[in-house]
Amino acid sequence: MTPVDIPVETRMADARSGASSRATTSAASGKSVPAMELRAVKRSFSEGENELQILNDVNFAIHPGEMVALVAPSGTGKSTLLHIAGLLEHPDEGEVLIGGVNCADLGDDARTRIRRSDVGFVYQFHHLLPEFTALENVMVPQMINGLGRKDAAARAQQLLDYMRMGNRSSHRPSELSGGEQQRVAVARAVANAPRLLLLDEPTGNLDPTTANYVFDALQALVRASGVATLFATHNMELAGRMDRCITLSGGKVLPVEL
């Protein structure tokens, strides 16, 4: 079965290379390998002569198909945590594992390969390429990873259909509403069938009705694909619809009861 037979359920083997290929094998015990795991992660920043501890001994994991809400006040380190989990930043101490692969000692090229094939990002602002259509925006990451134009277009159309955007695939971002642009951004983020999807306030600029519509489409896609999802949000209603909720307090990850 080729990667475009089903929107997201089949991994794109052609997109895997280098160190990330080691992450495809489960542990001998048969237990599920976390899609992403942070172990004893620390991160601090300097403020003049002071050191501000943002993350302090963070330990948690997300498993395939799990949706985890991250809710915390602004300035507590949500974006820093997402950047470290997505290999955009290095922690001062600790380990980041993607699909069982310890990325702590990997070089920049290997980290980039894993990030491109195993991690998808969606931000509060969609960051779509304005000169390209919705279809082309979803094709771009696939073609960067080596998929041919025809297969990339077929998969992009399937993903847009799944996100209820199939009839808007030929429109450019300026011709789409905010909610439509975010649905295209989600489709683009999962185009390479990542293990991990990281979302940083993706519905923060949307009205409640549109936010729920985007979340409904996203949730259906996550459930169908089995991608592990970490969703930073201030929307407690959406957080309550996920599998579990965590927060940051004193630089540590703590569970939240909703």
Side-chain angles (χ1 to χ4, degrees):
M1 184 176 289
T2 65
V4 294
D5 287 335
I6 306 176
V8 244
E9 291 175 359
T10 303
R11 260 184 203 287
M12 297 170 62
D14 290 343
R16 306 256 178 240
S17 61
S20 64
S21 65
R22 299 197 301 272
T24 60
T25 304
S26 298
S29 64
K31 293 181 179 179
S32 172
V33 174
M36 186 281 297
E37 184 176 6
L38 301 184
R39 296 177 180 172
V41 164
K42 295 183 179 181
R43 186 74 169 99
S44 61
F45 297 94
S46 296
E47 280 193 347
E49 297 181 356
N50 300 318
E51 185 174 89
L52 182 61
Q53 190 79 43
I54 299 296
L55 303 177
N56 184 19
D57 195 29
V58 168
N59 295 274
F60 82 104
I62 304 178
H63 290 266
E66 187 179 24
M67 292 191 76
V68 178
L70 173 60
V71 295
S74 298
T76 55
K78 292 195 304 296
S79 294
T80 298
L81 189 152
L82 291 171
H83 289 170
I84 289 174
L87 307 183
L88 291 172
E89 291 185 27
H90 290 269
D92 297 330
E93 297 180 29
E95 299 176 340
V96 181
L97 287 79
I98 303 293
V101 173
N102 190 340
C103 302
D105 297 323
L106 296 181
D108 289 342
D109 288 346
R111 287 170 63 91
T112 297
R113 285 196 297 270
I114 291 177
R115 190 167 59 244
R116 284 178 177 174
S117 62
D118 285 9
V119 184
F121 296 90
V122 182
Y123 299 98
Q124 187 169 3
F125 186 70
H126 52 80
H127 295 296
L128 298 177
L129 299 171
E131 68 274 22
F132 291 166
T133 65
L135 183 74
E136 290 166 340
N137 267 278
V138 182
M139 290 171 60
V140 166
Q142 300 177 73
M143 296 177 68
I144 289 174
N145 260 17
L147 199 64
R149 185 177 183 85
K150 181 178 178 180
D151 286 344
R155 179 170 173 79
Q157 186 63 54
Q158 287 177 326
L159 287 168
L160 289 172
D161 289 344
Y162 215 85
M163 293 301 294
R164 308 172 191 172
M165 285 294 296
N167 63 340
R168 306 286 279 168
S169 61
S170 63
H171 291 69
R172 289 180 170 79
S174 61
E175 301 170 308
L176 303 175
S177 69
E180 289 173 334
Q181 290 170 357
Q182 281 298 62
R183 280 183 278 157
V184 175
V186 170
R188 180 182 60 183
V190 300
N192 286 330
R195 300 180 188 280
L196 176 66
L197 179 61
L198 301 171
L199 304 104
D200 195 356
E201 297 286 354
T203 61
N205 288 330
L206 306 177
D207 64 82
T209 299
T210 304
N212 276 297
Y213 195 82
V214 170
F215 183 82
D216 287 344
L218 168 66
Q219 190 173 49
L221 187 62
V222 168
R223 298 311 186 200
S225 68
V227 62
T229 304
L230 181 60
F231 190 121
T233 182
H234 285 107
N235 188 324
M236 297 306 293
E237 180 183 350
L238 295 185
R241 296 173 60 188
M242 299 187 216
D243 298 314
R244 59 187 170 103
C245 183
I246 59 176
T247 190
L248 285 168
S249 180
K252 298 181 183 293
V253 167
L254 302 174
V256 175
E257 295 294 334
L258 296 174

